[in-house]
Amino acid sequence: MRQYETVETKETHRQIRKIICNKCGREIPVKDGRAQEDFLAVEKRWGYFSDKDNQVDSFDLCESCYDALVATFVIPLGEQE
Ligand SMILES: [Zn+2]
């Protein structure tokens, strides 16, 4: 989950104010609109062949919740360099 704030510099833009892991509720530190830890950001628009036609879901996971989630996979993650 991300919260944004409007920042006025030379150009007005939106930057990340807060990132909270949807699974554990821990706040991921943000400085000057940038996450200070890496995290998983998911956004999914469900299509016609689902029960959620055109619904957009999004969530963020901290690294430890990501690790816990993928550890439950029957088929392990593929690795790429
Ligand atoms: Zn978490």
Side-chain angles (χ1 to χ4, degrees), residues 69-77:
L69 173 68
V70 300
T72 67
F73 288 1
V74 172
I75 298 170
L77 295 178

Side-chain angles (χ1 to χ4, degrees), residues 17-79:
R17 181 168 65 86
K18 195 178 255 195
I19 304 169
I20 297 171
C21 173
N22 283 77
K23 186 159 186 281
C24 71
R26 188 171 69 80
E27 188 168 339
I28 290 160
V30 172
K31 190 177 174 209
D32 298 327
R34 290 207 176 91
Q36 302 297 298
E37 279 177 30
D38 207 357
F39 64 101
L40 176 71
V42 173
E43 184 174 298
K44 167 67 180 168
R45 180 182 295 276
W46 292 94
Y48 182 75
F49 296 104
S50 74
D51 295 331
K52 309 172 190 54
D53 195 10
N54 229 19
Q55 177 179 317
V56 180
D57 290 340
S58 65
F59 62 88
D60 296 319
L61 289 183
C62 71
E63 188 174 3
S64 60
C65 287
Y66 169 85
D67 289 342
L69 173 68
V70 300
T72 67
F73 288 1
V74 172
I75 298 170
L77 295 178
E79 288 187 16

